[in-house]
Amino acid sequence: QVQLEESGGGLVQPGGSLRLSCAASRNIFSINVMGWYRQVPGKQRELVASISSGGTTNYADSVKGRFTISRDSAKNTMYLQMNSLKPEDTADYYCNALAPNAQGFMVGSWGHGTQVTVSS
């Protein structure tokens, strides 16, 4: 299982920017897919963006053109650059990793989350 730790959340005004970080406990190229999810109270957790070990990215329609997912292999860290933030982006953001365990089975891991609040 991969240990994940998010950071970078906070309070920002509408139109502002934040960068979230997710530090992984192992080489991120050994992780099949990493992603950012978000959740607001009373709603299901939803995928925001993902990046595969090969570098293929995927975004929710609601964040396309505003958010960018990336990674730094030297730091084993994934990022989410969030620009032009809107109040509806307010949520708890979670890092997720899907990777094979020692037995070769794919296992999903979650971080503890970081809160993002977009408000004036």
Side-chain angles (χ1 to χ4, degrees):
Q1 194 171 8
V2 183
Q3 306 301 315
L4 302 167
E5 184 171 355
E6 303 98 334
S7 61
L11 172 65
V12 63
Q13 291 187 340
S17 298
L18 279 176
R19 188 178 79 158
L20 305 183
S21 300
C22 172
S25 61
R26 62 191 263 189
N27 186 328
I28 60 174
F29 287 117
S30 70
I31 300 171
N32 285 46
V33 182
M34 294 187 74
W36 287 99
Y37 288 73
R38 66 187 181 188
Q39 187 172 25
V40 297
K43 292 190 175 182
Q44 283 191 325
R45 194 170 293 187
E46 63 173 3
L47 175 68
V48 176
S50 65
I51 184 166
S52 72
S53 57
T56 300
T57 58
N58 181 51
Y59 296 92
D61 288 343
S62 59
V63 306
K64 282 180 180 177
R66 300 188 297 123
F67 291 10
T68 302
I69 191 170
S70 63
R71 58 191 178 177
D72 184 336
S73 59
K75 298 180 179 179
N76 289 332
T77 300
M78 176 181 66
Y79 303 99
L80 185 69
Q81 178 67 43
M82 305 186 294
N83 298 328
S84 302
L85 282 161
K86 304 175 181 180
E88 51 263 43
D89 295 317
T90 296
D92 292 321
Y93 284 70
Y94 297 89
C95 177
N96 175 269
L98 187 64
N101 63 9
Q103 292 73 39
F105 295 105
M106 298 301 291
V107 176
S109 303
W110 292 96
H112 294 296
T114 185
Q115 188 174 53
V116 172
T117 303
V118 185
S119 175
S120 54

